[in-house]
Amino acid sequence: MMAASAAHAGSACHAGPAFRVAFEYALSGDLAYLSHRDELRMLRRALVRAGWPLRFSRGYNPIPWLSVPLPRRVGVASDCQLALTDLSEPRPAAWLRESLAAALPRDCRLASLRAPAPGGTPHAQSAEYAVTLAWPAAQALAPAVERWRGILEMDERRCAGGMSSPPAPKCQQFLEGVALEGPELRLRLRFIEQRTARPSEVLTELGLVPDAHEYTVRLCEVAWNTQCSGPDLESRASKGFAIGYKENHDESDEEQDHEENEKDSCEGRLRN
């Protein structure tokens, strides 16, 4: 708290134009079980330790402006969490990258950073997940996965021929791709009106009861509707990695996210 107050004292709340920074990070291990609010708190503390000249929100309890446009569900690890923050003054991208990488806790790795980052409101278009199952569960899913792959191929042929596809079940309408590689189920889910299916819901429709099996979920890649590339984006730029931002100035949204994620955590550490 004292460190945050000291950082606030040296940072203007809204003086002049903001210098936006976007960075991508990976979460694994015990940090995958952080709620969304706790994840934001962890990032803010790391930014203060890194010595960034943070731009603070308005109000009686100003906090560093920070947004994670696509929050994780509790228990889901991620290779590609995207966060955006505003600085009160510019800093070189190399310095920002080095200082933040050293300040992040164990099991949280900085993957890429861009400064300055462009404005805009990003929306996820698709997300790819890796669900690691026990061998018996993976073998039980194999026939259903092949059936779904056939349905997807048939839908692609229908679309190519100008024909409409029949109504799909709840989760299949969000499915762009599915593959079973040994014990790992790969899912690519599209977003429709900013909504998508959960990996656990896909497992249920495939015929596997999630509560009866242990599995882990990892978010591997996200495609955004806002494209951005540049020399400061490092390795992700060549893969079409996109960044943007979402307004999130006060703590009311964080409180709501916290309540939702606390409910998720009651489902179990591995039921996501």
Side-chain angles (χ1 to χ4, degrees), residues 16-29:
F19 183 82
R20 180 146 297 157
V21 180
F23 58 94
E24 186 187 36
Y25 58 98
L27 278 179
S28 59

Side-chain angles (χ1 to χ4, degrees), residues 247-264:
E247 294 293 342
N248 185 19
H249 289 294
D250 54 42
E251 290 189 301
S252 61
D253 292 338
E254 294 180 15
E255 292 286 353
Q256 183 177 357
D257 291 333
H258 175 63
E259 294 174 1
E260 293 176 355
N261 279 280
E262 289 301 323
K263 293 179 182 178
D264 296 340

Side-chain angles (χ1 to χ4, degrees), residues 2-21:
M2 292 179 63
S5 299
H8 183 205
S11 301
C13 287
H14 289 277
F19 183 82
R20 180 146 297 157
V21 180

Side-chain angles (χ1 to χ4, degrees), residues 8-244:
H8 183 205
S11 301
C13 287
H14 289 277
F19 183 82
R20 180 146 297 157
V21 180
F23 58 94
E24 186 187 36
Y25 58 98
L27 278 179
S28 59
D30 291 340
L31 293 185
Y33 299 99
L34 289 177
S35 68
H36 178 57
R37 187 181 185 186
D38 289 337
E39 183 177 336
L40 292 176
R41 183 183 294 113
M42 176 200 71
L43 292 174
R44 286 193 177 103
R45 289 176 176 175
L47 294 173
V48 170
R49 287 195 299 269
W52 288 18
L54 300 171
R55 188 181 178 94
F56 282 69
S57 62
R58 296 187 178 95
Y60 290 104
N61 298 298
I63 56 175
W65 188 92
L66 180 70
S67 175
V68 175
L70 187 61
R72 300 171 304 106
R73 293 183 63 80
V74 174
V76 175
S78 177
D79 295 337
C80 53
Q81 284 297 96
L82 176 66
L84 299 106
T85 189
D86 283 349
L87 306 184
S88 59
E89 56 188 64
R91 286 290 189 275
W95 180 86
L96 293 170
R97 187 182 301 113
E98 181 179 355
S99 60
L100 180 57
L104 289 172
R106 187 181 62 179
D107 294 334
C108 184
R109 176 181 56 83
L110 182 63
S112 61
L113 180 145
R114 182 176 179 85
T121 302
H123 299 293
Q125 293 182 315
S126 65
E128 184 173 335
Y129 293 90
V131 183
T132 303
L133 303 153
W135 269 105
Q139 292 173 344
L141 281 183
V145 169
E146 288 303 314
R147 184 170 64 253
W148 277 30
R149 286 172 60 88
I151 292 174
L152 289 175
E153 292 174 358
M154 184 179 298
D155 287 344
E156 289 178 0
R157 290 195 295 268
R158 285 176 175 270
C159 292
M163 296 183 293
S164 59
S165 300
K170 177 182 177 181
C171 290
Q172 285 189 24
Q173 63 179 318
F174 298 108
L175 192 67
E176 284 189 347
V178 58
L180 188 62
E181 303 171 356
E184 186 175 86
L185 178 68
R186 305 284 294 200
L187 300 171
R188 189 163 191 88
L189 302 172
R190 69 170 61 91
F191 285 76
I192 301 176
E193 296 180 352
Q194 301 182 41
R195 296 178 60 252
T196 190
R198 303 173 184 173
S200 59
E201 293 174 328
V202 176
L203 291 177
T204 300
E205 286 201 7
L206 282 170
L208 189 72
V209 180
D211 291 340
H213 299 273
E214 288 190 353
Y215 60 93
T216 59
V217 182
R218 178 168 51 89
L219 178 62
C220 304
E221 185 179 356
V222 178
W224 302 89
N225 67 338
T226 302
Q227 295 298 319
C228 179
S229 62
D232 295 330
L233 200 55
E234 296 182 343
S235 59
R236 292 289 181 179
S238 61
K239 299 181 180 180
F241 175 68
I243 59 178

